[in-house]
Amino acid sequence: MNLVSKPPNRGLTRIRLYLSYDGSYFSGWAYQPNLRTVQGEIQRAIKTALRLQEPVDVVVAGRTDAGVHARGQVIHFDAPIENDFDFTTFVYSLNGILDADVRVQVAEIAPDGFNARFSAIARRYSYSVMDGRVDPLRRHTAITHWRELDVEAMNIASSQLIGLHDFASFCKPTDFGSTIRTLQEFSWTRDGHVLRASLQADAFCHSMVRSLVGLVIAIGDKRKPIEFAREVLQRAERRADVVTMPSLGLTLEEVLYPADDELLARQEMTRAKRDISEVEG
């Protein structure tokens, strides 16, 4: 059995890392010159730990904006290592180089056909809101909303958005990429004054999670009726009445992948451009 996943003709090993980070003091995931980013810090740490001459290129499961947190981010990169490479020591080395607000949880050889972005079958996010009371211990991970929120109404509205749809009403417009997504889960729970949304989809376009949350919060505090959720979805265009919520309440919780023998097929499926004809209703 071949334990090392090597890209063809390169003599490199594909390594998979699972990361957690507090996004409060990062300018997002993606590398930007002269700014502190998660990608920049990770690439610097890998270069130092492996004593490489040049930084590696890392591929991430899902880019996060400035202020967004992650508990289950996944990346991969290719590097020259031996079969007896000590991954436990590698994790300790990386975390000794990195600041305390970003941590490598696991490092391992990636299965054949693995791609952190294109092999994923789903991403799961959470969004946290405090209604009517501020908990200073949650100030970096939950927003404050001063009106009381109706969780039952929010769950009814959220359920109307689940399924395969064109989510153009909730995505920042771009010149490329589809806004067709399958929203697999969108639900709310309350623990005292903290409400937590759980959202899962095959993929999310830019600002989609925070816009979905903004819409449902407007329903939860009675500014909009429950039927407003379906109305916004069906018009399939971005308008000013859909608010994008602040980034600090958002956390990437988990990235899901298929069985190892299905990773390459999943890549091909993800790369195929979707068509509007796929949308039901």
Side-chain angles (χ1 to χ4, degrees), residues 240-256:
D241 56 357
V242 175
V243 176
T244 301
M245 300 300 290
S247 59
L248 68 88
L250 184 61
T251 299
L252 173 60
E253 296 286 349
E254 184 180 11
V255 183
L256 290 79

Side-chain angles (χ1 to χ4, degrees), residues 29 31 38-48 54-59 98:
W29 162 264
Y31 175 79
V38 183
Q39 182 179 12
E41 294 297 291
I42 288 293
Q43 291 185 164
R44 177 182 62 85
I46 292 171
K47 177 185 176 183
T48 302
E54 300 291 335
V56 297
D57 293 323
V58 302
V59 176
L98 293 163

Side-chain angles (χ1 to χ4, degrees), residues 111-183:
D112 288 338
F114 177 80
N115 182 291
R117 178 185 175 189
F118 291 110
S119 295
I121 57 175
R123 284 90 171 162
R124 184 168 61 87
Y125 284 85
S126 67
Y127 196 94
S128 297
V129 182
M130 297 178 286
D131 63 343
R133 183 178 298 178
V134 177
D135 179 353
L137 301 183
R138 299 292 303 272
R139 68 189 185 279
H140 293 308
T141 59
I143 69 156
T144 300
H145 190 80
W146 290 109
R147 295 174 177 169
E148 184 177 355
L149 296 169
D150 182 340
V151 176
E152 182 178 358
M154 294 165 74
N155 274 317
I156 294 172
S158 297
S159 69
Q160 297 177 2
L161 303 171
I162 293 174
L164 177 63
H165 305 289
D166 185 347
F167 285 94
S169 301
F170 303 96
C171 300
K172 289 187 177 179
T174 63
D175 294 331
F176 56 91
S178 172
T179 53
I180 297 171
R181 299 289 189 271
T182 301
L183 185 61

Side-chain angles (χ1 to χ4, degrees), residues 136-234:
L137 301 183
R138 299 292 303 272
R139 68 189 185 279
H140 293 308
T141 59
I143 69 156
T144 300
H145 190 80
W146 290 109
R147 295 174 177 169
E148 184 177 355
L149 296 169
D150 182 340
V151 176
E152 182 178 358
M154 294 165 74
N155 274 317
I156 294 172
S158 297
S159 69
Q160 297 177 2
L161 303 171
I162 293 174
L164 177 63
H165 305 289
D166 185 347
F167 285 94
S169 301
F170 303 96
C171 300
K172 289 187 177 179
T174 63
D175 294 331
F176 56 91
S178 172
T179 53
I180 297 171
R181 299 289 189 271
T182 301
L183 185 61
Q184 300 161 349
E185 177 190 356
F186 189 8
S187 61
W188 293 81
T189 57
R190 177 186 284 279
D191 181 9
H193 284 273
V194 179
L195 287 78
R196 184 175 183 271
S198 181
L199 303 93
Q200 181 174 306
D202 55 349
F204 292 94
C205 51
H206 189 221
S207 84
M208 179 175 163
V209 175
R210 291 188 284 146
S211 297
L212 287 167
V213 169
L215 170 77
V216 174
I217 284 179
I219 293 170
D221 67 12
K222 310 301 184 183
R223 284 177 292 147
K224 298 290 185 180
I226 290 175
E227 296 77 17
F228 185 61
R230 191 70 182 175
E231 174 190 327
V232 171
L233 179 66
Q234 290 177 337

Side-chain angles (χ1 to χ4, degrees), residues 100-117:
D101 54 358
V102 55
R103 279 291 173 264
V104 177
Q105 305 297 349
V106 176
E108 60 189 11
I109 293 171
D112 288 338
F114 177 80
N115 182 291
R117 178 185 175 189

